[in-house]
Amino acid sequence: MRLIFIGPPGAGKGTQSELIYSKYRIIQLSTGDILRLNVKEKTELGKQANEFISFGKLVPDDIIINMIKEELDDPKFKNGFLLDGFPRTIPQAEALDVLLSNLNVKLDKVLLLEVPDTEIVTRLSGRRTCRTCNRTFHIVFNPPPNPADCDRGICDIYQRDDDKEETILKRLQIYHNQTAPLIDFYTNKNLVAKINGTGTLEEVFQQIDSILMQL
Ligand code: ADP
Ligand code: ADP
């Protein structure tokens, strides 16, 4: 399956991608995770992207499109993928159309995860992320594991710089201005499935599961 996740920052895309992988083995491709890895390793891409990420701005389209082009060449995505955090602008979505048609493949569904802004602030300000496995947790709704009990080695939990309240509001505004227009873009292609993202992790996954079972 070839899927896209759209939804505001903190809607639960990463969390649900993990549950989708557990059941369907569809590999998540998160542009945010790739960018943060590049920042950590101080690559050229990381140096270019760092300032945009820490101010909560979008990294320029040409940089992101080149990055995705390279990623999608990886044979592990040959049978499918779940794009998380890409596309985020209309030019990125248009570039993806070209990439996919060159690969001779089509999108199966665009999952739109809907969560109101007030809930987003609560989720992102309590989010904690693991440096080693990229999983996200929440101090109240999904507490991080004790490092000693972590099933993937020692979890190294931290709070992302861009998960501070001031940057969260900026990112939400950018979502509404630049990313939300993708909803119409993909609705016109008849690809959008809406998911109510406000329930528990399991309730949200049940909705996604019933969509994927029909594909
Ligand atoms: P995204 O990938 O869309 O930015 P995450 O999956 O990282 O979002 O989730 C953002 C925060 O909200 C995390 O702290 C996560 O634990 C929490 N979260 C995710 N889904 C839910 C949910 N259904 N209910 C409550 N909190 C959630
Ligand atoms: P979240 O889901 O919490 O918004 P991500 O991990 O998807 O966070 O993205 C973190 C940051 O990485 C974004 O705020 C932006 O600076 C950059 N980024 C990730 N994906 C893209 C993209 N497709 N286009 C531009 N910038 C991106």
Side-chain angles (χ1 to χ4, degrees), residues 3 13-14 26 62 84 90-91 96 121 130 142 150 162-163 167 172 207 213:
L3 307 170
K13 302 181 296 294
I26 304 173
D62 53 339
D84 169 5
I90 295 284
L96 178 64
V121 177
C130 173
N142 185 18
C150 174
D162 56 345
D163 281 348
T167 319
L172 263 175
Q207 296 173 61
M213 277 195 290

PDB file of all heavy atoms in Angstrom, residues 3 13-14 26 62 84 90-91 96 121 130 142 150 162-163 167 172 207 213:
ATOM      1  N   LEU A   3       0.604   5.093   1.056  1.00  0.00           N
ATOM      2  CA  LEU A   3      -0.278   5.957   1.842  1.00  0.00           C
ATOM      3  C   LEU A   3       0.408   7.263   2.205  1.00  0.00           C
ATOM      4  O   LEU A   3       1.643   7.318   2.303  1.00  0.00           O
ATOM      5  CB  LEU A   3      -0.661   5.253   3.155  1.00  0.00           C
ATOM      6  CG  LEU A   3      -1.250   3.841   3.050  1.00  0.00           C
ATOM      7  CD1 LEU A   3      -1.335   3.211   4.434  1.00  0.00           C
ATOM      8  CD2 LEU A   3      -2.637   3.890   2.411  1.00  0.00           C
ATOM      9  N   LYS A  13       0.374  11.255  14.062  1.00  0.00           N
ATOM     10  CA  LYS A  13       0.768  10.542  12.841  1.00  0.00           C
ATOM     11  C   LYS A  13       1.872   9.515  13.133  1.00  0.00           C
ATOM     12  O   LYS A  13       1.803   8.371  12.690  1.00  0.00           O
ATOM     13  CB  LYS A  13       1.240  11.532  11.759  1.00  0.00           C
ATOM     14  CG  LYS A  13       0.180  12.571  11.398  1.00  0.00           C
ATOM     15  CD  LYS A  13       0.636  13.528  10.315  1.00  0.00           C
ATOM     16  CE  LYS A  13       1.815  14.397  10.690  1.00  0.00           C
ATOM     17  NZ  LYS A  13       1.539  15.376  11.777  1.00  0.00           N
ATOM     18  N   GLY A  14       2.883   9.942  13.863  1.00  0.00           N
ATOM     19  CA  GLY A  14       3.987   9.031  14.189  1.00  0.00           C
ATOM     20  C   GLY A  14       3.507   7.872  15.046  1.00  0.00           C
ATOM     21  O   GLY A  14       3.851   6.704  14.798  1.00  0.00           O
ATOM     22  N   ILE A  26       3.756  -1.827   6.819  1.00  0.00           N
ATOM     23  CA  ILE A  26       3.994  -0.732   5.855  1.00  0.00           C
ATOM     24  C   ILE A  26       5.026   0.191   6.495  1.00  0.00           C
ATOM     25  O   ILE A  26       4.842   0.648   7.632  1.00  0.00           O
ATOM     26  CB  ILE A  26       2.702   0.058   5.577  1.00  0.00           C
ATOM     27  CG1 ILE A  26       1.617  -0.901   5.092  1.00  0.00           C
ATOM     28  CG2 ILE A  26       2.951   1.158   4.546  1.00  0.00           C
ATOM     29  CD1 ILE A  26       0.245  -0.239   4.954  1.00  0.00           C
ATOM     30  N   ASP A  62      12.671  22.687  -2.456  1.00  0.00           N
ATOM     31  CA  ASP A  62      13.651  21.994  -3.310  1.00  0.00           C
ATOM     32  C   ASP A  62      14.524  21.035  -2.489  1.00  0.00           C
ATOM     33  O   ASP A  62      14.838  19.918  -2.934  1.00  0.00           O
ATOM     34  CB  ASP A  62      14.503  22.985  -4.120  1.00  0.00           C
ATOM     35  CG  ASP A  62      15.161  24.030  -3.241  1.00  0.00           C
ATOM     36  OD1 ASP A  62      14.674  24.260  -2.118  1.00  0.00           O
ATOM     37  OD2 ASP A  62      16.191  24.599  -3.653  1.00  0.00           O
ATOM     38  N   ASP A  84       4.908  10.267   6.142  1.00  0.00           N
ATOM     39  CA  ASP A  84       4.495  11.003   7.345  1.00  0.00           C
ATOM     40  C   ASP A  84       5.252  12.333   7.358  1.00  0.00           C
ATOM     41  O   ASP A  84       6.467  12.350   7.523  1.00  0.00           O
ATOM     42  CB  ASP A  84       4.842  10.134   8.574  1.00  0.00           C
ATOM     43  CG  ASP A  84       4.706  10.890   9.884  1.00  0.00           C
ATOM     44  OD1 ASP A  84       4.261  12.054   9.874  1.00  0.00           O
ATOM     45  OD2 ASP A  84       5.071  10.310  10.921  1.00  0.00           O
ATOM     46  N   ILE A  90       1.705  22.480  -1.592  1.00  0.00           N
ATOM     47  CA  ILE A  90       1.225  22.078  -2.920  1.00  0.00           C
ATOM     48  C   ILE A  90       2.405  21.742  -3.865  1.00  0.00           C
ATOM     49  O   ILE A  90       2.379  20.695  -4.516  1.00  0.00           O
ATOM     50  CB  ILE A  90       0.300  23.177  -3.521  1.00  0.00           C
ATOM     51  CG1 ILE A  90      -0.968  23.308  -2.668  1.00  0.00           C
ATOM     52  CG2 ILE A  90      -0.006  22.925  -4.981  1.00  0.00           C
ATOM     53  CD1 ILE A  90      -2.010  22.215  -2.840  1.00  0.00           C
ATOM     54  N   PRO A  91       3.476  22.569  -3.928  1.00  0.00           N
ATOM     55  CA  PRO A  91       4.585  22.180  -4.816  1.00  0.00           C
ATOM     56  C   PRO A  91       5.182  20.809  -4.456  1.00  0.00           C
ATOM     57  O   PRO A  91       5.570  20.041  -5.343  1.00  0.00           O
ATOM     58  CB  PRO A  91       5.626  23.303  -4.616  1.00  0.00           C
ATOM     59  CG  PRO A  91       4.811  24.480  -4.177  1.00  0.00           C
ATOM     60  CD  PRO A  91       3.669  23.932  -3.374  1.00  0.00           C
ATOM     61  N   LEU A  96       5.624  15.104  -5.905  1.00  0.00           N
ATOM     62  CA  LEU A  96       5.392  13.683  -5.580  1.00  0.00           C
ATOM     63  C   LEU A  96       4.623  12.997  -6.708  1.00  0.00           C
ATOM     64  O   LEU A  96       4.935  11.858  -7.074  1.00  0.00           O
ATOM     65  CB  LEU A  96       4.622  13.569  -4.251  1.00  0.00           C
ATOM     66  CG  LEU A  96       4.280  12.145  -3.825  1.00  0.00           C
ATOM     67  CD1 LEU A  96       5.539  11.314  -3.543  1.00  0.00           C
ATOM     68  CD2 LEU A  96       3.370  12.137  -2.585  1.00  0.00           C
ATOM     69  N   VAL A 121      -1.966  21.660  21.224  1.00  0.00           N
ATOM     70  CA  VAL A 121      -1.045  22.324  22.148  1.00  0.00           C
ATOM     71  C   VAL A 121      -0.787  21.412  23.354  1.00  0.00           C
ATOM     72  O   VAL A 121       0.357  21.222  23.780  1.00  0.00           O
ATOM     73  CB  VAL A 121      -1.591  23.713  22.586  1.00  0.00           C
ATOM     74  CG1 VAL A 121      -0.655  24.355  23.592  1.00  0.00           C
ATOM     75  CG2 VAL A 121      -1.762  24.620  21.366  1.00  0.00           C
ATOM     76  N   CYS A 130      12.130   9.791  21.593  1.00  0.00           N
ATOM     77  CA  CYS A 130      13.330   8.990  21.867  1.00  0.00           C
ATOM     78  C   CYS A 130      14.375   9.246  20.780  1.00  0.00           C
ATOM     79  O   CYS A 130      14.069   9.118  19.594  1.00  0.00           O
ATOM     80  CB  CYS A 130      12.980   7.516  21.910  1.00  0.00           C
ATOM     81  SG  CYS A 130      14.465   6.506  22.046  1.00  0.00           S
ATOM     82  N   ASN A 142       0.669   8.838  27.305  1.00  0.00           N
ATOM     83  CA  ASN A 142       1.417   7.655  26.846  1.00  0.00           C
ATOM     84  C   ASN A 142       2.839   7.753  27.403  1.00  0.00           C
ATOM     85  O   ASN A 142       3.791   8.042  26.670  1.00  0.00           O
ATOM     86  CB  ASN A 142       1.400   7.643  25.302  1.00  0.00           C
ATOM     87  CG  ASN A 142       2.047   6.404  24.717  1.00  0.00           C
ATOM     88  OD1 ASN A 142       2.214   5.398  25.406  1.00  0.00           O
ATOM     89  ND2 ASN A 142       2.443   6.480  23.460  1.00  0.00           N
ATOM     90  N   CYS A 150      13.057  -0.569  28.477  1.00  0.00           N
ATOM     91  CA  CYS A 150      12.816  -0.281  27.068  1.00  0.00           C
ATOM     92  C   CYS A 150      13.089  -1.528  26.235  1.00  0.00           C
ATOM     93  O   CYS A 150      14.133  -2.157  26.380  1.00  0.00           O
ATOM     94  CB  CYS A 150      13.702   0.879  26.631  1.00  0.00           C
ATOM     95  SG  CYS A 150      13.586   1.180  24.890  1.00  0.00           S
ATOM     96  N   ASP A 162      11.499  22.308  19.175  1.00  0.00           N
ATOM     97  CA  ASP A 162      10.355  22.941  18.510  1.00  0.00           C
ATOM     98  C   ASP A 162       9.029  22.527  19.159  1.00  0.00           C
ATOM     99  O   ASP A 162       7.973  22.912  18.672  1.00  0.00           O
ATOM    100  CB  ASP A 162      10.353  22.678  16.991  1.00  0.00           C
ATOM    101  CG  ASP A 162      10.374  21.210  16.625  1.00  0.00           C
ATOM    102  OD1 ASP A 162      10.670  20.359  17.497  1.00  0.00           O
ATOM    103  OD2 ASP A 162      10.080  20.893  15.450  1.00  0.00           O
ATOM    104  N   ASP A 163       9.061  21.764  20.243  1.00  0.00           N
ATOM    105  CA  ASP A 163       7.834  21.453  20.982  1.00  0.00           C
ATOM    106  C   ASP A 163       7.612  22.406  22.158  1.00  0.00           C
ATOM    107  O   ASP A 163       6.937  22.066  23.127  1.00  0.00           O
ATOM    108  CB  ASP A 163       7.836  19.981  21.455  1.00  0.00           C
ATOM    109  CG  ASP A 163       7.466  19.006  20.338  1.00  0.00           C
ATOM    110  OD1 ASP A 163       6.986  19.463  19.283  1.00  0.00           O
ATOM    111  OD2 ASP A 163       7.663  17.789  20.512  1.00  0.00           O
ATOM    112  N   THR A 167       6.743  28.038  19.578  1.00  0.00           N
ATOM    113  CA  THR A 167       7.021  27.432  18.265  1.00  0.00           C
ATOM    114  C   THR A 167       5.843  26.561  17.817  1.00  0.00           C
ATOM    115  O   THR A 167       5.548  26.470  16.624  1.00  0.00           O
ATOM    116  CB  THR A 167       8.313  26.592  18.334  1.00  0.00           C
ATOM    117  OG1 THR A 167       9.256  27.305  19.108  1.00  0.00           O
ATOM    118  CG2 THR A 167       8.895  26.320  16.962  1.00  0.00           C
ATOM    119  N   LEU A 172       1.517  25.473  13.918  1.00  0.00           N
ATOM    120  CA  LEU A 172       0.094  25.258  13.628  1.00  0.00           C
ATOM    121  C   LEU A 172      -0.403  26.232  12.557  1.00  0.00           C
ATOM    122  O   LEU A 172      -1.154  25.855  11.664  1.00  0.00           O
ATOM    123  CB  LEU A 172      -0.723  25.490  14.906  1.00  0.00           C
ATOM    124  CG  LEU A 172      -1.073  24.235  15.690  1.00  0.00           C
ATOM    125  CD1 LEU A 172      -1.764  24.610  16.988  1.00  0.00           C
ATOM    126  CD2 LEU A 172      -1.980  23.320  14.871  1.00  0.00           C
ATOM    127  N   GLN A 207     -10.213   3.135  13.565  1.00  0.00           N
ATOM    128  CA  GLN A 207     -10.758   3.813  12.368  1.00  0.00           C
ATOM    129  C   GLN A 207      -9.819   3.604  11.169  1.00  0.00           C
ATOM    130  O   GLN A 207     -10.258   3.333  10.060  1.00  0.00           O
ATOM    131  CB  GLN A 207     -10.884   5.316  12.598  1.00  0.00           C
ATOM    132  CG  GLN A 207     -11.859   5.719  13.683  1.00  0.00           C
ATOM    133  CD  GLN A 207     -11.753   7.228  13.936  1.00  0.00           C
ATOM    134  OE1 GLN A 207     -11.990   8.036  13.058  1.00  0.00           O
ATOM    135  NE2 GLN A 207     -11.374   7.606  15.139  1.00  0.00           N
ATOM    136  N   MET A 213      -8.310  -2.068   5.807  1.00  0.00           N
ATOM    137  CA  MET A 213      -8.815  -3.414   5.499  1.00  0.00           C
ATOM    138  C   MET A 213      -9.586  -3.450   4.189  1.00  0.00           C
ATOM    139  O   MET A 213      -9.709  -4.489   3.562  1.00  0.00           O
ATOM    140  CB  MET A 213      -9.702  -3.909   6.655  1.00  0.00           C
ATOM    141  CG  MET A 213      -8.869  -4.507   7.765  1.00  0.00           C
ATOM    142  SD  MET A 213      -9.824  -5.469   8.946  1.00  0.00           S
ATOM    143  CE  MET A 213     -10.750  -4.241   9.796  1.00  0.00           C
TER     144      MET A 213
END
